[in-house]
Amino acid sequence: MDKENAPCPMPHAQCPMPHAQCPMPNAQCPIIKTMMFIDPHIHMCSRTTYDYLVMREYGIVAVIEPAFWLGQPRTNSGSFKDYFSSLVGWERFRASQFGIQHYCTIGLNPKEANNEALATEVMELLPLYACKEGVVAIGEIGYDDMTEAEDKYFCQQLALAKELDMLVLIHTPHRNKKAGASKSMDRCIEYGLDPSQVVIDHNNEETVEEVLERGFWAAFTIYPQTKMGNARMVEVVRKYGQDRIIVDSSADWGISDPLAVPKTAQLMLDRGIPEEHVRAVCYENALAAYSQTGQMKASDWLNPQSVDQRQMFNGNSVLRGQEPGIKSVSDFVLIE
Ligand SMILES: [Zn+2]
């Protein structure tokens, strides 16, 4: 390896060079390898264990999995019950076995709020799950088509959040995004929630100004082709700075990327965004917002319990008959 391509021997904290001027190829850059990330919006039940391994290698220490739509409408409230149980149970356990802390939000998504018979039953389940360990908010709730039924169950869930003194994660609609975001914020205020307790997600250049001006947290979903690209995200951070801006992947069963947060961080550094701003929008702000619940704290991953993949959850481990100890993607080089 020639000198220019050799990994820097210096610990990052002692490195005098801003990342943008660093001559080192990205894959070898010591900065990315030493940063910690939180992905505060990702649907891990649609992702594989391999994703957990790669995410951990890229520095993702914690994830938040919002309750949402599964791609196919549910036909009875029992499906919701099992889904909520897996978010607070199996999925949390599965993540922990690969060194990632898992939190979730509980809520009735706007799309399925339109099935009123079902929605009424799901509303009865919510208080049973909202107070379980690792639940950091009511969400993701809000509007899809902005129908009357969506509005009704959105308001009922805001009232529940207020009653339980919980945070709220808002899903803004893909169509009529600006109007949907404005109306969602109006409703939050109407139901007595403080903007500091509400994360508005799926923002874009059209909505960010109002969200920040009104004092809410502004989350951005880096999702290929539809929501927000990471090159655009770099410019949003350049323009609006680091305060109350949060980057997430919203990776799910669609064409999406569970590494969207670290990759966006890398692009920000490459394009001259100061490292402390990158750290804020890809780690610190999500922690500041969601730690208000007392359910999520940095010590969860800074002082982790040691991982033992033989551990069981309801009688099952993550091993599928394998030997424990898969910690890294490189452990898969040889498959026997
Ligand atoms: Zn989502």
Side-chain angles (χ1 to χ4, degrees):
M1 191 182 285
D2 61 39
K3 205 177 165 203
E4 211 168 81
N5 282 322
C8 174
M10 190 173 287
H12 172 63
Q14 293 163 30
C15 176
M17 189 174 285
H19 176 81
Q21 293 160 31
C22 176
M24 195 168 288
N26 278 333
Q28 291 164 26
C29 174
I31 295 187
I32 285 297
K33 295 283 178 192
T34 58
M35 276 182 105
M36 286 189 297
F37 301 107
I38 295 173
D39 189 342
H41 188 148
I42 182 163
H43 300 282
M44 291 310 298
C45 71
S46 304
R47 311 296 314 189
T48 62
T49 294
Y50 188 80
D51 288 337
Y52 275 128
L53 285 173
V54 181
M55 287 161 69
R56 189 66 191 84
E57 285 196 9
Y58 273 75
I60 295 176
V61 291
V63 295
I64 297 174
E65 175 155 8
F68 201 56
W69 179 57
L70 293 178
Q72 172 177 306
R74 280 164 277 210
T75 55
N76 65 73
S77 61
S79 304
F80 273 91
K81 187 167 185 257
D82 291 341
Y83 174 62
F84 294 153
S85 294
S86 79
L87 294 185
V88 298
W90 172 254
E91 205 51 56
R92 182 170 167 79
F93 170 77
R94 186 167 74 112
S96 74
Q97 297 302 288
F98 298 95
I100 293 183
Q101 303 295 316
H102 180 284
Y103 308 87
C104 70
T105 75
I106 293 289
L108 169 65
N109 65 82
K111 229 178 162 66
E112 289 177 295
N114 290 304
N115 178 348
E116 287 218 51
L118 180 62
T120 317
E121 290 179 32
V122 176
M123 284 305 301
E124 285 173 26
L125 287 175
L126 296 184
L128 307 176
Y129 285 91
C131 301
K132 290 211 186 287
E133 197 181 344
V135 179
V136 294
I138 297 291
E140 44 188 307
I141 59 175
Y143 299 112
D144 180 47
D145 259 341
M146 296 179 71
T147 63
E148 254 176 59
E150 289 171 19
D151 192 46
K152 176 177 163 187
Y153 292 100
F154 178 39
C155 290
Q156 285 187 16
Q157 292 182 91
L158 292 176
L160 178 68
K162 179 68 186 166
E163 186 190 325
L164 299 175
D165 191 24
M166 287 187 74
L167 305 185
V168 173
L169 169 61
I170 304 279
H171 163 97
T172 53
H174 306 297
R175 302 168 292 276
N176 287 330
K177 183 174 282 294
K178 198 168 164 38
S182 286
K183 192 170 171 193
S184 303
M185 288 184 278
D186 294 345
R187 284 287 193 234
C188 290
I189 299 298
E190 200 180 314
Y191 279 82
L193 291 153
D194 191 279
S196 67
Q197 294 179 297
V198 181
V199 178
I200 308 288
D201 208 341
H202 312 321
N203 278 289
N204 61 21
E205 294 87 345
E206 230 183 35
T207 55
V208 56
E209 216 152 288
E210 185 187 347
V211 172
L212 290 175
E213 258 170 31
R214 296 178 72 173
F216 292 84
W217 297 92
F220 290 81
T221 293
I222 309 301
Y223 200 100
Q225 286 143 32
T226 52
K227 299 185 173 87
M228 186 80 193
N230 55 9
R232 283 161 60 200
M233 190 67 230
V234 174
E235 298 314 313
V236 166
V237 173
R238 203 189 305 282
K239 184 166 177 191
Y240 295 97
Q242 59 173 335
D243 285 351
R244 280 181 287 117
I245 288 180
I246 294 173
V247 177
D248 62 63
S249 74
S250 188
D252 55 12
W253 39 263
I255 298 169
S256 46
D257 186 354
L259 297 180
V261 175
K263 284 182 183 172
T264 304
Q266 186 161 321
L267 192 67
M268 285 188 208
L269 293 169
D270 288 346
R271 297 194 174 177
I273 302 293
E275 198 185 322
E276 60 269 30
H277 290 199
V278 177
R279 205 179 298 280
V281 302
C282 295
Y283 175 83
E284 285 164 358
N285 291 349
L287 177 59
Y290 289 103
S291 64
Q292 294 182 83
T293 56
Q295 286 291 331
M296 180 178 178
K297 44 195 183 316
S299 59
D300 295 349
W301 52 88
L302 294 177
N303 311 306
Q305 292 183 329
S306 60
V307 171
D308 178 354
Q309 292 174 342
R310 288 165 302 188
Q311 279 176 336
M312 303 269 195
F313 178 82
N314 282 352
N316 292 304
S317 80
V318 293
L319 288 175
R320 323 269 301 135
Q322 295 143 341
E323 288 297 313
I326 301 263
K327 290 196 184 74
S328 147
V329 175
S330 56
D331 290 347
F332 285 115
V333 170
L334 182 64
I335 299 176
E336 289 178 303

